[in-house]
Amino acid sequence: MATQNWITLKQDAESGIETIRAHFEGHAYDPHWHDSYLVGLTEQGVQQFHCRHVRHQSTSGGVFLLEPGEIHDGDAPMSEGFTYRTLYLEPHWLERELRALFEQAPEHCELSFAATLARDPRLAECTAQAFSALHSEDLRIVRQTTLDNLLGSLTQHLRWRKRINPDPRLPLVAQRARDYLHSHLHQDIGLDDLAQATGVDRFRLTRAFKAAFGLAPHAYLIQLRLARARRLLALGQTPGDVAASLGFSDQSHLGRWFQRAYRMSPADYRKRCSNLPD
């Protein structure tokens, strides 16, 4: 039996915020991450996903909050599926706006969410209103007002986390491997390259990396490239050029991974964000 999955996506030119409304039945998407802060609202059904090594279920009226880099998947445990709205907040935009909102914001800190799920009617209402204003391309003053209301309602769900590098909670070898992947993401990296860069054998490296980040190094590298691909496509670069610049073997290789993570093709994503023809 065919599912009735669908996605609508818009991008606000002024703030760079993406708005996605979608419906999924059964399996929604594979484990992946975004380089944005996600503030979402479950409209209908039960949205089930794994994040922070915990299985979460967001139900109608519930808000879900994800930080950049947090790996999550998605599926619908109920036959009717689930529908949600999500705002993808660019980290620099969010931090700038919130530092203006807080009278005293700590230095050398980054924003984090206190919890992954929130049952907060005010936050849910502000999320829905901001989504509606941006997704419908309402008047600029309306969009800005609803975003200010959203930021105000978010403050009690935020905390400032001190930037620490390296992070003492994670194995140093895993952090070194992650940094190497970030700085060499365009290259054809092998496990032997990572092992040499971190000073351990491939097997110890893989175990430490999976324990720290929830993905094997090769899967992390793919997700890193996909996150970068989203940004380049939104700027109007063609899928072929993006695939070549990020180390994918060809455009179809990028397309297969992009579809698994985001349930749309790179060309479709580019068109929705940039309004450029294929």
Side-chain angles (χ1 to χ4, degrees), residues 195-231:
Q196 184 175 3
T198 56
V200 299
D201 63 70
R202 300 198 310 272
F203 306 101
R204 287 176 59 196
L205 166 64
T206 298
R207 288 196 299 269
F209 199 95
K210 290 178 71 174
F213 302 115
L215 291 175
H218 77 278
Y220 186 96
L221 176 61
I222 290 171
Q223 295 303 319
L224 183 61
R225 289 176 173 177
L226 289 176
R228 185 67 57 86
R230 285 175 68 105
R231 288 189 173 272

PDB file of all heavy atoms in Angstrom, residues 195-231:
ATOM      1  N   ALA A 195      43.224   7.075  11.265  1.00  0.00           N
ATOM      2  CA  ALA A 195      44.039   6.392  12.265  1.00  0.00           C
ATOM      3  C   ALA A 195      45.393   7.076  12.418  1.00  0.00           C
ATOM      4  O   ALA A 195      45.888   7.268  13.535  1.00  0.00           O
ATOM      5  CB  ALA A 195      44.215   4.925  11.869  1.00  0.00           C
ATOM      6  N   GLN A 196      45.978   7.454  11.298  1.00  0.00           N
ATOM      7  CA  GLN A 196      47.275   8.128  11.360  1.00  0.00           C
ATOM      8  C   GLN A 196      47.149   9.491  12.038  1.00  0.00           C
ATOM      9  O   GLN A 196      48.026   9.895  12.810  1.00  0.00           O
ATOM     10  CB  GLN A 196      47.839   8.286   9.949  1.00  0.00           C
ATOM     11  CG  GLN A 196      49.227   8.899   9.910  1.00  0.00           C
ATOM     12  CD  GLN A 196      49.805   8.938   8.509  1.00  0.00           C
ATOM     13  OE1 GLN A 196      49.153   8.550   7.549  1.00  0.00           O
ATOM     14  NE2 GLN A 196      51.043   9.414   8.394  1.00  0.00           N
ATOM     15  N   ALA A 197      46.047  10.194  11.751  1.00  0.00           N
ATOM     16  CA  ALA A 197      45.854  11.524  12.329  1.00  0.00           C
ATOM     17  C   ALA A 197      45.600  11.471  13.835  1.00  0.00           C
ATOM     18  O   ALA A 197      45.906  12.423  14.553  1.00  0.00           O
ATOM     19  CB  ALA A 197      44.693  12.224  11.639  1.00  0.00           C
ATOM     20  N   THR A 198      45.044  10.363  14.314  1.00  0.00           N
ATOM     21  CA  THR A 198      44.688  10.260  15.738  1.00  0.00           C
ATOM     22  C   THR A 198      45.648   9.406  16.545  1.00  0.00           C
ATOM     23  O   THR A 198      45.581   9.393  17.772  1.00  0.00           O
ATOM     24  CB  THR A 198      43.269   9.666  15.879  1.00  0.00           C
ATOM     25  OG1 THR A 198      43.207   8.403  15.203  1.00  0.00           O
ATOM     26  CG2 THR A 198      42.232  10.609  15.266  1.00  0.00           C
ATOM     27  N   GLY A 199      46.524   8.656  15.855  1.00  0.00           N
ATOM     28  CA  GLY A 199      47.536   7.882  16.554  1.00  0.00           C
ATOM     29  C   GLY A 199      47.047   6.579  17.153  1.00  0.00           C
ATOM     30  O   GLY A 199      47.679   6.055  18.084  1.00  0.00           O
ATOM     31  N   VAL A 200      45.917   6.039  16.662  1.00  0.00           N
ATOM     32  CA  VAL A 200      45.422   4.745  17.136  1.00  0.00           C
ATOM     33  C   VAL A 200      45.085   3.886  15.922  1.00  0.00           C
ATOM     34  O   VAL A 200      45.017   4.379  14.789  1.00  0.00           O
ATOM     35  CB  VAL A 200      44.167   4.893  18.032  1.00  0.00           C
ATOM     36  CG1 VAL A 200      44.484   5.727  19.268  1.00  0.00           C
ATOM     37  CG2 VAL A 200      43.022   5.526  17.260  1.00  0.00           C
ATOM     38  N   ASP A 201      44.842   2.595  16.151  1.00  0.00           N
ATOM     39  CA  ASP A 201      44.480   1.734  15.031  1.00  0.00           C
ATOM     40  C   ASP A 201      43.024   1.965  14.624  1.00  0.00           C
ATOM     41  O   ASP A 201      42.246   2.584  15.349  1.00  0.00           O
ATOM     42  CB  ASP A 201      44.708   0.255  15.378  1.00  0.00           C
ATOM     43  CG  ASP A 201      43.837  -0.215  16.528  1.00  0.00           C
ATOM     44  OD1 ASP A 201      42.612  -0.330  16.341  1.00  0.00           O
ATOM     45  OD2 ASP A 201      44.377  -0.453  17.631  1.00  0.00           O
ATOM     46  N   ARG A 202      42.666   1.470  13.441  1.00  0.00           N
ATOM     47  CA  ARG A 202      41.346   1.731  12.871  1.00  0.00           C
ATOM     48  C   ARG A 202      40.221   1.200  13.753  1.00  0.00           C
ATOM     49  O   ARG A 202      39.153   1.810  13.842  1.00  0.00           O
ATOM     50  CB  ARG A 202      41.230   1.103  11.479  1.00  0.00           C
ATOM     51  CG  ARG A 202      42.242   1.616  10.486  1.00  0.00           C
ATOM     52  CD  ARG A 202      41.815   1.313   9.063  1.00  0.00           C
ATOM     53  NE  ARG A 202      41.428  -0.057   8.860  1.00  0.00           N
ATOM     54  CZ  ARG A 202      42.271  -1.048   8.537  1.00  0.00           C
ATOM     55  NH1 ARG A 202      43.559  -0.789   8.403  1.00  0.00           N
ATOM     56  NH2 ARG A 202      41.836  -2.274   8.350  1.00  0.00           N
ATOM     57  N   PHE A 203      40.436   0.085  14.412  1.00  0.00           N
ATOM     58  CA  PHE A 203      39.375  -0.555  15.189  1.00  0.00           C
ATOM     59  C   PHE A 203      39.078   0.229  16.469  1.00  0.00           C
ATOM     60  O   PHE A 203      37.911   0.458  16.822  1.00  0.00           O
ATOM     61  CB  PHE A 203      39.763  -2.004  15.493  1.00  0.00           C
ATOM     62  CG  PHE A 203      40.105  -2.782  14.259  1.00  0.00           C
ATOM     63  CD1 PHE A 203      41.421  -3.026  13.904  1.00  0.00           C
ATOM     64  CD2 PHE A 203      39.104  -3.235  13.406  1.00  0.00           C
ATOM     65  CE1 PHE A 203      41.741  -3.726  12.755  1.00  0.00           C
ATOM     66  CE2 PHE A 203      39.408  -3.937  12.257  1.00  0.00           C
ATOM     67  CZ  PHE A 203      40.732  -4.176  11.919  1.00  0.00           C
ATOM     68  N   ARG A 204      40.118   0.640  17.174  1.00  0.00           N
ATOM     69  CA  ARG A 204      39.915   1.478  18.365  1.00  0.00           C
ATOM     70  C   ARG A 204      39.289   2.812  17.978  1.00  0.00           C
ATOM     71  O   ARG A 204      38.424   3.330  18.691  1.00  0.00           O
ATOM     72  CB  ARG A 204      41.254   1.716  19.073  1.00  0.00           C
ATOM     73  CG  ARG A 204      41.800   0.507  19.821  1.00  0.00           C
ATOM     74  CD  ARG A 204      43.157   0.803  20.400  1.00  0.00           C
ATOM     75  NE  ARG A 204      43.116   1.950  21.324  1.00  0.00           N
ATOM     76  CZ  ARG A 204      44.203   2.604  21.728  1.00  0.00           C
ATOM     77  NH1 ARG A 204      45.403   2.261  21.289  1.00  0.00           N
ATOM     78  NH2 ARG A 204      44.092   3.610  22.570  1.00  0.00           N
ATOM     79  N   LEU A 205      39.734   3.357  16.850  1.00  0.00           N
ATOM     80  CA  LEU A 205      39.193   4.627  16.385  1.00  0.00           C
ATOM     81  C   LEU A 205      37.694   4.519  16.123  1.00  0.00           C
ATOM     82  O   LEU A 205      36.907   5.353  16.578  1.00  0.00           O
ATOM     83  CB  LEU A 205      39.913   5.058  15.104  1.00  0.00           C
ATOM     84  CG  LEU A 205      39.254   6.181  14.301  1.00  0.00           C
ATOM     85  CD1 LEU A 205      39.228   7.468  15.101  1.00  0.00           C
ATOM     86  CD2 LEU A 205      39.965   6.376  12.978  1.00  0.00           C
ATOM     87  N   THR A 206      37.279   3.487  15.394  1.00  0.00           N
ATOM     88  CA  THR A 206      35.867   3.335  15.046  1.00  0.00           C
ATOM     89  C   THR A 206      35.013   3.150  16.292  1.00  0.00           C
ATOM     90  O   THR A 206      33.933   3.734  16.408  1.00  0.00           O
ATOM     91  CB  THR A 206      35.681   2.139  14.092  1.00  0.00           C
ATOM     92  OG1 THR A 206      36.413   2.397  12.879  1.00  0.00           O
ATOM     93  CG2 THR A 206      34.211   1.941  13.742  1.00  0.00           C
ATOM     94  N   ARG A 207      35.491   2.333  17.253  1.00  0.00           N
ATOM     95  CA  ARG A 207      34.731   2.127  18.488  1.00  0.00           C
ATOM     96  C   ARG A 207      34.581   3.433  19.258  1.00  0.00           C
ATOM     97  O   ARG A 207      33.489   3.760  19.737  1.00  0.00           O
ATOM     98  CB  ARG A 207      35.413   1.060  19.357  1.00  0.00           C
ATOM     99  CG  ARG A 207      35.290  -0.363  18.839  1.00  0.00           C
ATOM    100  CD  ARG A 207      35.646  -1.372  19.927  1.00  0.00           C
ATOM    101  NE  ARG A 207      37.027  -1.215  20.382  1.00  0.00           N
ATOM    102  CZ  ARG A 207      38.065  -1.853  19.854  1.00  0.00           C
ATOM    103  NH1 ARG A 207      37.878  -2.677  18.828  1.00  0.00           N
ATOM    104  NH2 ARG A 207      39.290  -1.684  20.327  1.00  0.00           N
ATOM    105  N   ALA A 208      35.651   4.188  19.383  1.00  0.00           N
ATOM    106  CA  ALA A 208      35.592   5.450  20.131  1.00  0.00           C
ATOM    107  C   ALA A 208      34.694   6.460  19.429  1.00  0.00           C
ATOM    108  O   ALA A 208      33.931   7.186  20.080  1.00  0.00           O
ATOM    109  CB  ALA A 208      37.004   6.027  20.292  1.00  0.00           C
ATOM    110  N   PHE A 209      34.760   6.499  18.112  1.00  0.00           N
ATOM    111  CA  PHE A 209      33.973   7.463  17.352  1.00  0.00           C
ATOM    112  C   PHE A 209      32.484   7.161  17.472  1.00  0.00           C
ATOM    113  O   PHE A 209      31.664   8.056  17.705  1.00  0.00           O
ATOM    114  CB  PHE A 209      34.406   7.445  15.885  1.00  0.00           C
ATOM    115  CG  PHE A 209      34.012   8.674  15.116  1.00  0.00           C
ATOM    116  CD1 PHE A 209      34.897   9.722  14.970  1.00  0.00           C
ATOM    117  CD2 PHE A 209      32.750   8.791  14.552  1.00  0.00           C
ATOM    118  CE1 PHE A 209      34.548  10.871  14.271  1.00  0.00           C
ATOM    119  CE2 PHE A 209      32.377   9.930  13.861  1.00  0.00           C
ATOM    120  CZ  PHE A 209      33.283  10.976  13.724  1.00  0.00           C
ATOM    121  N   LYS A 210      32.111   5.895  17.327  1.00  0.00           N
ATOM    122  CA  LYS A 210      30.700   5.521  17.437  1.00  0.00           C
ATOM    123  C   LYS A 210      30.177   5.775  18.836  1.00  0.00           C
ATOM    124  O   LYS A 210      29.019   6.198  19.012  1.00  0.00           O
ATOM    125  CB  LYS A 210      30.517   4.052  17.040  1.00  0.00           C
ATOM    126  CG  LYS A 210      30.714   3.786  15.561  1.00  0.00           C
ATOM    127  CD  LYS A 210      30.570   2.316  15.224  1.00  0.00           C
ATOM    128  CE  LYS A 210      29.135   1.863  15.329  1.00  0.00           C
ATOM    129  NZ  LYS A 210      28.963   0.469  14.866  1.00  0.00           N
ATOM    130  N   ALA A 211      30.991   5.515  19.851  1.00  0.00           N
ATOM    131  CA  ALA A 211      30.562   5.770  21.224  1.00  0.00           C
ATOM    132  C   ALA A 211      30.342   7.255  21.470  1.00  0.00           C
ATOM    133  O   ALA A 211      29.429   7.649  22.195  1.00  0.00           O
ATOM    134  CB  ALA A 211      31.600   5.216  22.202  1.00  0.00           C
ATOM    135  N   ALA A 212      31.162   8.105  20.838  1.00  0.00           N
ATOM    136  CA  ALA A 212      31.070   9.542  21.073  1.00  0.00           C
ATOM    137  C   ALA A 212      29.954  10.197  20.273  1.00  0.00           C
ATOM    138  O   ALA A 212      29.226  11.055  20.790  1.00  0.00           O
ATOM    139  CB  ALA A 212      32.402  10.208  20.735  1.00  0.00           C
ATOM    140  N   PHE A 213      29.802   9.812  19.002  1.00  0.00           N
ATOM    141  CA  PHE A 213      28.917  10.551  18.104  1.00  0.00           C
ATOM    142  C   PHE A 213      27.744   9.743  17.553  1.00  0.00           C
ATOM    143  O   PHE A 213      26.915  10.287  16.833  1.00  0.00           O
ATOM    144  CB  PHE A 213      29.734  11.133  16.948  1.00  0.00           C
ATOM    145  CG  PHE A 213      30.842  12.028  17.395  1.00  0.00           C
ATOM    146  CD1 PHE A 213      32.168  11.682  17.176  1.00  0.00           C
ATOM    147  CD2 PHE A 213      30.577  13.207  18.072  1.00  0.00           C
ATOM    148  CE1 PHE A 213      33.202  12.498  17.594  1.00  0.00           C
ATOM    149  CE2 PHE A 213      31.600  14.035  18.503  1.00  0.00           C
ATOM    150  CZ  PHE A 213      32.919  13.671  18.275  1.00  0.00           C
ATOM    151  N   GLY A 214      27.676   8.458  17.876  1.00  0.00           N
ATOM    152  CA  GLY A 214      26.523   7.667  17.457  1.00  0.00           C
ATOM    153  C   GLY A 214      26.558   7.190  16.023  1.00  0.00           C
ATOM    154  O   GLY A 214      25.615   6.536  15.565  1.00  0.00           O
ATOM    155  N   LEU A 215      27.605   7.505  15.295  1.00  0.00           N
ATOM    156  CA  LEU A 215      27.760   7.076  13.913  1.00  0.00           C
ATOM    157  C   LEU A 215      29.189   6.618  13.696  1.00  0.00           C
ATOM    158  O   LEU A 215      30.117   7.104  14.345  1.00  0.00           O
ATOM    159  CB  LEU A 215      27.468   8.227  12.937  1.00  0.00           C
ATOM    160  CG  LEU A 215      26.037   8.743  12.809  1.00  0.00           C
ATOM    161  CD1 LEU A 215      26.023   9.954  11.889  1.00  0.00           C
ATOM    162  CD2 LEU A 215      25.112   7.660  12.277  1.00  0.00           C
ATOM    163  N   ALA A 216      29.376   5.705  12.752  1.00  0.00           N
ATOM    164  CA  ALA A 216      30.723   5.344  12.337  1.00  0.00           C
ATOM    165  C   ALA A 216      31.327   6.513  11.562  1.00  0.00           C
ATOM    166  O   ALA A 216      30.611   7.369  11.029  1.00  0.00           O
ATOM    167  CB  ALA A 216      30.683   4.096  11.466  1.00  0.00           C
ATOM    168  N   PRO A 217      32.657   6.589  11.473  1.00  0.00           N
ATOM    169  CA  PRO A 217      33.282   7.723  10.781  1.00  0.00           C
ATOM    170  C   PRO A 217      32.782   7.935   9.358  1.00  0.00           C
ATOM    171  O   PRO A 217      32.559   9.079   8.941  1.00  0.00           O
ATOM    172  CB  PRO A 217      34.774   7.370  10.806  1.00  0.00           C
ATOM    173  CG  PRO A 217      34.939   6.534  12.034  1.00  0.00           C
ATOM    174  CD  PRO A 217      33.677   5.729  12.123  1.00  0.00           C
ATOM    175  N   HIS A 218      32.568   6.848   8.594  1.00  0.00           N
ATOM    176  CA  HIS A 218      32.117   7.032   7.208  1.00  0.00           C
ATOM    177  C   HIS A 218      30.721   7.632   7.161  1.00  0.00           C
ATOM    178  O   HIS A 218      30.419   8.481   6.310  1.00  0.00           O
ATOM    179  CB  HIS A 218      32.159   5.701   6.454  1.00  0.00           C
ATOM    180  CG  HIS A 218      31.034   4.772   6.786  1.00  0.00           C
ATOM    181  ND1 HIS A 218      31.038   3.947   7.898  1.00  0.00           N
ATOM    182  CD2 HIS A 218      29.848   4.549   6.168  1.00  0.00           C
ATOM    183  CE1 HIS A 218      29.915   3.259   7.944  1.00  0.00           C
ATOM    184  NE2 HIS A 218      29.175   3.600   6.903  1.00  0.00           N
ATOM    185  N   ALA A 219      29.840   7.215   8.078  1.00  0.00           N
ATOM    186  CA  ALA A 219      28.476   7.756   8.103  1.00  0.00           C
ATOM    187  C   ALA A 219      28.491   9.212   8.543  1.00  0.00           C
ATOM    188  O   ALA A 219      27.710  10.032   8.036  1.00  0.00           O
ATOM    189  CB  ALA A 219      27.602   6.918   9.035  1.00  0.00           C
ATOM    190  N   TYR A 220      29.368   9.551   9.472  1.00  0.00           N
ATOM    191  CA  TYR A 220      29.487  10.945   9.918  1.00  0.00           C
ATOM    192  C   TYR A 220      29.945  11.824   8.755  1.00  0.00           C
ATOM    193  O   TYR A 220      29.427  12.931   8.558  1.00  0.00           O
ATOM    194  CB  TYR A 220      30.473  11.022  11.079  1.00  0.00           C
ATOM    195  CG  TYR A 220      30.575  12.385  11.726  1.00  0.00           C
ATOM    196  CD1 TYR A 220      29.846  12.689  12.867  1.00  0.00           C
ATOM    197  CD2 TYR A 220      31.419  13.376  11.196  1.00  0.00           C
ATOM    198  CE1 TYR A 220      29.939  13.935  13.469  1.00  0.00           C
ATOM    199  CE2 TYR A 220      31.508  14.624  11.795  1.00  0.00           C
ATOM    200  CZ  TYR A 220      30.774  14.897  12.924  1.00  0.00           C
ATOM    201  OH  TYR A 220      30.861  16.137  13.507  1.00  0.00           O
ATOM    202  N   LEU A 221      30.917  11.339   7.989  1.00  0.00           N
ATOM    203  CA  LEU A 221      31.427  12.112   6.857  1.00  0.00           C
ATOM    204  C   LEU A 221      30.326  12.361   5.829  1.00  0.00           C
ATOM    205  O   LEU A 221      30.209  13.471   5.291  1.00  0.00           O
ATOM    206  CB  LEU A 221      32.595  11.378   6.205  1.00  0.00           C
ATOM    207  CG  LEU A 221      33.176  12.025   4.950  1.00  0.00           C
ATOM    208  CD1 LEU A 221      33.728  13.420   5.251  1.00  0.00           C
ATOM    209  CD2 LEU A 221      34.273  11.138   4.352  1.00  0.00           C
ATOM    210  N   ILE A 222      29.500  11.368   5.569  1.00  0.00           N
ATOM    211  CA  ILE A 222      28.403  11.547   4.617  1.00  0.00           C
ATOM    212  C   ILE A 222      27.428  12.604   5.121  1.00  0.00           C
ATOM    213  O   ILE A 222      26.992  13.486   4.371  1.00  0.00           O
ATOM    214  CB  ILE A 222      27.691  10.204   4.375  1.00  0.00           C
ATOM    215  CG1 ILE A 222      28.605   9.266   3.570  1.00  0.00           C
ATOM    216  CG2 ILE A 222      26.371  10.415   3.626  1.00  0.00           C
ATOM    217  CD1 ILE A 222      28.098   7.852   3.469  1.00  0.00           C
ATOM    218  N   GLN A 223      27.074  12.544   6.406  1.00  0.00           N
ATOM    219  CA  GLN A 223      26.159  13.532   6.957  1.00  0.00           C
ATOM    220  C   GLN A 223      26.774  14.932   6.945  1.00  0.00           C
ATOM    221  O   GLN A 223      26.082  15.930   6.712  1.00  0.00           O
ATOM    222  CB  GLN A 223      25.764  13.149   8.387  1.00  0.00           C
ATOM    223  CG  GLN A 223      24.971  11.861   8.483  1.00  0.00           C
ATOM    224  CD  GLN A 223      23.702  11.899   7.650  1.00  0.00           C
ATOM    225  OE1 GLN A 223      23.006  12.913   7.603  1.00  0.00           O
ATOM    226  NE2 GLN A 223      23.403  10.802   6.986  1.00  0.00           N
ATOM    227  N   LEU A 224      28.065  15.021   7.183  1.00  0.00           N
ATOM    228  CA  LEU A 224      28.762  16.302   7.124  1.00  0.00           C
ATOM    229  C   LEU A 224      28.676  16.887   5.720  1.00  0.00           C
ATOM    230  O   LEU A 224      28.404  18.080   5.532  1.00  0.00           O
ATOM    231  CB  LEU A 224      30.215  16.099   7.541  1.00  0.00           C
ATOM    232  CG  LEU A 224      31.119  17.332   7.618  1.00  0.00           C
ATOM    233  CD1 LEU A 224      30.587  18.318   8.639  1.00  0.00           C
ATOM    234  CD2 LEU A 224      32.543  16.901   7.963  1.00  0.00           C
ATOM    235  N   ARG A 225      28.884  16.040   4.716  1.00  0.00           N
ATOM    236  CA  ARG A 225      28.792  16.508   3.328  1.00  0.00           C
ATOM    237  C   ARG A 225      27.359  16.884   2.957  1.00  0.00           C
ATOM    238  O   ARG A 225      27.145  17.853   2.225  1.00  0.00           O
ATOM    239  CB  ARG A 225      29.309  15.418   2.390  1.00  0.00           C
ATOM    240  CG  ARG A 225      30.818  15.212   2.462  1.00  0.00           C
ATOM    241  CD  ARG A 225      31.279  14.067   1.590  1.00  0.00           C
ATOM    242  NE  ARG A 225      32.735  13.985   1.543  1.00  0.00           N
ATOM    243  CZ  ARG A 225      33.402  13.037   0.898  1.00  0.00           C
ATOM    244  NH1 ARG A 225      32.732  12.073   0.256  1.00  0.00           N
ATOM    245  NH2 ARG A 225      34.723  13.025   0.880  1.00  0.00           N
ATOM    246  N   LEU A 226      26.388  16.147   3.464  1.00  0.00           N
ATOM    247  CA  LEU A 226      24.997  16.477   3.161  1.00  0.00           C
ATOM    248  C   LEU A 226      24.597  17.820   3.763  1.00  0.00           C
ATOM    249  O   LEU A 226      23.879  18.601   3.133  1.00  0.00           O
ATOM    250  CB  LEU A 226      24.071  15.370   3.676  1.00  0.00           C
ATOM    251  CG  LEU A 226      24.115  14.042   2.925  1.00  0.00           C
ATOM    252  CD1 LEU A 226      23.221  13.015   3.618  1.00  0.00           C
ATOM    253  CD2 LEU A 226      23.697  14.209   1.470  1.00  0.00           C
ATOM    254  N   ALA A 227      25.038  18.088   4.987  1.00  0.00           N
ATOM    255  CA  ALA A 227      24.732  19.378   5.603  1.00  0.00           C
ATOM    256  C   ALA A 227      25.337  20.512   4.796  1.00  0.00           C
ATOM    257  O   ALA A 227      24.712  21.561   4.588  1.00  0.00           O
ATOM    258  CB  ALA A 227      25.250  19.407   7.045  1.00  0.00           C
ATOM    259  N   ARG A 228      26.574  20.320   4.315  1.00  0.00           N
ATOM    260  CA  ARG A 228      27.197  21.340   3.473  1.00  0.00           C
ATOM    261  C   ARG A 228      26.469  21.446   2.129  1.00  0.00           C
ATOM    262  O   ARG A 228      26.318  22.559   1.595  1.00  0.00           O
ATOM    263  CB  ARG A 228      28.675  20.985   3.254  1.00  0.00           C
ATOM    264  CG  ARG A 228      29.468  22.039   2.493  1.00  0.00           C
ATOM    265  CD  ARG A 228      29.628  23.318   3.286  1.00  0.00           C
ATOM    266  NE  ARG A 228      30.257  23.082   4.578  1.00  0.00           N
ATOM    267  CZ  ARG A 228      31.586  23.042   4.759  1.00  0.00           C
ATOM    268  NH1 ARG A 228      32.405  23.230   3.743  1.00  0.00           N
ATOM    269  NH2 ARG A 228      32.076  22.835   5.965  1.00  0.00           N
ATOM    270  N   ALA A 229      26.012  20.323   1.605  1.00  0.00           N
ATOM    271  CA  ALA A 229      25.288  20.337   0.333  1.00  0.00           C
ATOM    272  C   ALA A 229      24.017  21.173   0.427  1.00  0.00           C
ATOM    273  O   ALA A 229      23.677  21.901  -0.515  1.00  0.00           O
ATOM    274  CB  ALA A 229      24.957  18.909  -0.101  1.00  0.00           C
ATOM    275  N   ARG A 230      23.305  21.077   1.537  1.00  0.00           N
ATOM    276  CA  ARG A 230      22.094  21.887   1.714  1.00  0.00           C
ATOM    277  C   ARG A 230      22.410  23.371   1.571  1.00  0.00           C
ATOM    278  O   ARG A 230      21.678  24.114   0.901  1.00  0.00           O
ATOM    279  CB  ARG A 230      21.463  21.622   3.088  1.00  0.00           C
ATOM    280  CG  ARG A 230      20.727  20.321   3.211  1.00  0.00           C
ATOM    281  CD  ARG A 230      20.252  20.119   4.647  1.00  0.00           C
ATOM    282  NE  ARG A 230      19.208  21.065   5.027  1.00  0.00           N
ATOM    283  CZ  ARG A 230      17.918  20.749   5.137  1.00  0.00           C
ATOM    284  NH1 ARG A 230      17.521  19.522   4.879  1.00  0.00           N
ATOM    285  NH2 ARG A 230      17.034  21.646   5.519  1.00  0.00           N
ATOM    286  N   ARG A 231      23.491  23.807   2.186  1.00  0.00           N
ATOM    287  CA  ARG A 231      23.840  25.223   2.129  1.00  0.00           C
ATOM    288  C   ARG A 231      24.192  25.649   0.702  1.00  0.00           C
ATOM    289  O   ARG A 231      23.778  26.715   0.236  1.00  0.00           O
ATOM    290  CB  ARG A 231      25.011  25.514   3.070  1.00  0.00           C
ATOM    291  CG  ARG A 231      24.626  25.464   4.542  1.00  0.00           C
ATOM    292  CD  ARG A 231      25.755  25.969   5.426  1.00  0.00           C
ATOM    293  NE  ARG A 231      25.326  26.069   6.817  1.00  0.00           N
ATOM    294  CZ  ARG A 231      24.758  27.132   7.353  1.00  0.00           C
ATOM    295  NH1 ARG A 231      24.519  28.195   6.593  1.00  0.00           N
ATOM    296  NH2 ARG A 231      24.414  27.152   8.624  1.00  0.00           N
TER     297      ARG A 231
END
